[in-house]
Amino acid sequence: MIDQNTIIEIINKGLPIVASSPVLIKLIETVGGVVKALYTPTLTLKNGKAEVDVEMYRKQQEGKLMENQPFTLYEITKLKNFVSSANFAAIELQGNNEQVNPEVEFDWIMRFFDAVGNIGSEELQKLWGKVLAGEMKRSGTCSLRTMDIIRNLSQREAKIFNKLSQYVLQSEGCYFILDNGFLGKSESNVESYNYILKTGLNYSGSIIPMIECGLLSVDNALATDFESNKVLSIQNQEIACFIIADSDSKFNSISIEPYFLTKSGIELYNIIQGMSDYNANNDYPILCLRELKKQYPNLTFSAHRIIGENDFEANDLL
């Protein structure tokens, strides 16, 4: 029989509770809110520990109310999986107390519980932990639609998107991955093709599954017709590339067809890149930009490391 002591043990052992940590205490309160809604308990905090007085729920059986029913294995498994993901969120947030959102919408957290409760994979629990951490940093980070996409991801698909997130660039509100290295090998993309080949990523096994999941789209093109001295900027968190038209040239245009992130893809990417273990990949974008520079000789390309807001190193990486 699973009793109230088991619930207390799951909560207190599942989360690295520290009495002085507002973040972890907030997570305990969140866990308690879910448990209360599902199992009618009363949860309090004492010295940073959870204390739960669980009134065993009643359920209708053969027309009679049965009291003191034990929790089912399914219910306890869902709670354990939820607390495990909350644990990963707690670890991520431990050094970010000032960024924690004091309130997470209860409807959102209940949907989160329902989704993550069936996830036993540690890899996916880590991803869900990032989702929860992101929501606690800023409410509305992950929409319910995006949550539904995430809950349908396989462990392999989650790993692929996490890996692809390293290559995401941004330009004028668009988020995308340059396609150079994912295309068939040709004279114009030898270096980027060989680079992606070594990563284990490819078009059919990596890009197509993300399109099918609803995280990537290939329905758009990044096209610009330059006016005199107009600048197109492409960047990630560490490098920025500037493309400038030659005012005397008649061929002041560029058109590329990268893989664009959908709205849900952008939400999930922003969650991933906001975590402490995220590292942007700069090598692949530099290779792609060098190849584009050769393809568009009438345009001026330069790339620089970002050292501050609107401040860049003088050294050209291209």
Side-chain angles (χ1 to χ4, degrees):
M1 175 181 290
I2 300 171
D3 57 17
Q4 65 182 31
N5 292 324
T6 304
I7 300 295
I8 295 171
E9 184 179 356
I10 289 172
I11 294 175
N12 282 327
K13 286 189 175 181
L15 288 170
I17 306 306
V18 180
S20 61
S21 171
V23 174
L24 303 184
I25 290 175
K26 177 60 185 176
L27 276 171
I28 280 292
E29 293 171 348
T30 301
V31 173
V34 173
V35 175
K36 182 176 181 179
L38 295 175
Y39 309 124
T40 321
T42 301
L43 182 142
T44 59
L45 290 172
K46 185 176 181 181
N47 298 323
K49 290 285 185 177
E51 293 187 356
V52 185
D53 179 16
V54 180
E55 299 175 7
M56 291 298 185
Y57 66 93
R58 300 177 179 183
K59 62 182 180 181
Q60 191 76 26
Q61 187 176 39
E62 296 180 356
K64 296 181 179 180
L65 288 176
M66 306 296 291
E67 296 186 5
N68 297 324
Q69 293 292 325
F71 292 101
T72 66
L73 178 61
Y74 174 72
E75 290 165 339
I76 289 298
T77 299
K78 283 177 72 78
L79 182 58
K80 284 182 176 180
N81 290 340
F82 172 77
V83 173
S84 179
S85 294
N87 178 37
F88 287 120
I91 293 170
E92 177 61 39
L93 291 169
Q94 200 158 7
N96 296 277
N97 293 358
E98 73 286 352
Q99 300 181 26
V100 175
N101 176 30
E103 297 294 337
V104 177
E105 288 187 10
F106 192 71
D107 288 347
W108 188 95
I109 204 69
M110 287 298 292
R111 183 79 69 90
F112 178 91
F113 178 89
D114 185 56
V116 79
N118 298 311
I119 302 297
S121 160
E122 183 174 311
E123 187 76 24
L124 289 174
Q125 286 176 353
K126 287 181 180 179
L127 178 60
W128 280 109
K130 291 179 179 180
V131 171
L132 178 57
E135 191 68 17
M136 293 191 72
K137 287 181 180 180
R138 184 168 61 86
S139 181
T141 297
C142 181
S143 65
L144 296 181
R145 177 176 295 180
T146 299
M147 195 184 296
D148 284 341
I149 289 178
I150 299 172
R151 74 184 298 174
N152 290 318
L153 290 179
S154 67
Q155 184 173 345
R156 179 177 176 276
E157 289 166 342
K159 285 183 177 180
I160 290 173
F161 188 80
N162 192 63
K163 197 169 184 178
L164 286 173
S165 293
Q166 301 173 33
Y167 304 102
V168 172
L169 298 172
Q170 182 181 359
S171 178
E172 299 182 351
C174 297
Y175 292 76
F176 55 88
I177 299 168
L178 291 172
D179 64 347
N180 302 42
F182 294 91
L183 302 173
K185 188 175 183 180
S186 67
E187 292 183 2
S188 63
N189 72 334
V190 174
E191 289 187 88
S192 61
Y193 174 85
N194 289 335
Y195 186 92
I196 289 298
L197 188 64
K198 292 177 183 179
T199 67
L201 297 170
N202 56 66
Y203 179 76
S204 60
S206 307
I207 300 300
I208 289 181
M210 295 303 96
I211 294 172
E212 293 173 343
C213 290
L215 295 172
L216 291 182
S217 170
V218 291
D219 293 337
N220 300 296
L222 187 67
T224 298
D225 292 320
F226 287 95
E227 298 175 358
S228 178
N229 298 321
K230 179 178 178 180
V231 178
L232 174 67
S233 64
I234 298 175
Q235 65 184 64
N236 59 19
Q237 292 75 27
E238 298 177 6
I239 59 173
C241 174
F242 302 100
I243 307 173
I244 306 173
D246 181 348
S247 58
D248 296 329
S249 175
K250 296 180 180 179
F251 304 99
N252 294 335
S253 65
I254 184 173
S255 180
I256 55 180
E257 297 182 359
Y259 310 118
F260 282 82
L261 275 65
T262 62
K263 184 175 180 180
S264 291
I266 293 172
E267 287 185 4
L268 183 54
Y269 163 72
N270 282 330
I271 291 169
I272 292 173
Q273 68 90 19
M275 298 297 114
S276 59
D277 60 350
Y278 176 80
N279 291 299
N281 180 291
N282 298 326
D283 295 332
Y284 175 69
I286 291 297
L287 291 176
C288 293
L289 291 166
R290 286 174 181 168
E291 292 169 350
L292 288 171
K293 184 177 180 179
K294 293 178 181 178
Q295 295 174 40
Y296 294 92
N298 295 310
L299 301 176
T300 300
F301 287 74
S302 67
H304 309 269
R305 293 194 180 278
I306 300 171
I307 57 177
E309 187 174 356
N310 298 320
D311 193 8
F312 313 95
E313 289 184 352
N315 183 45
D316 186 356
L317 300 173
L318 298 183

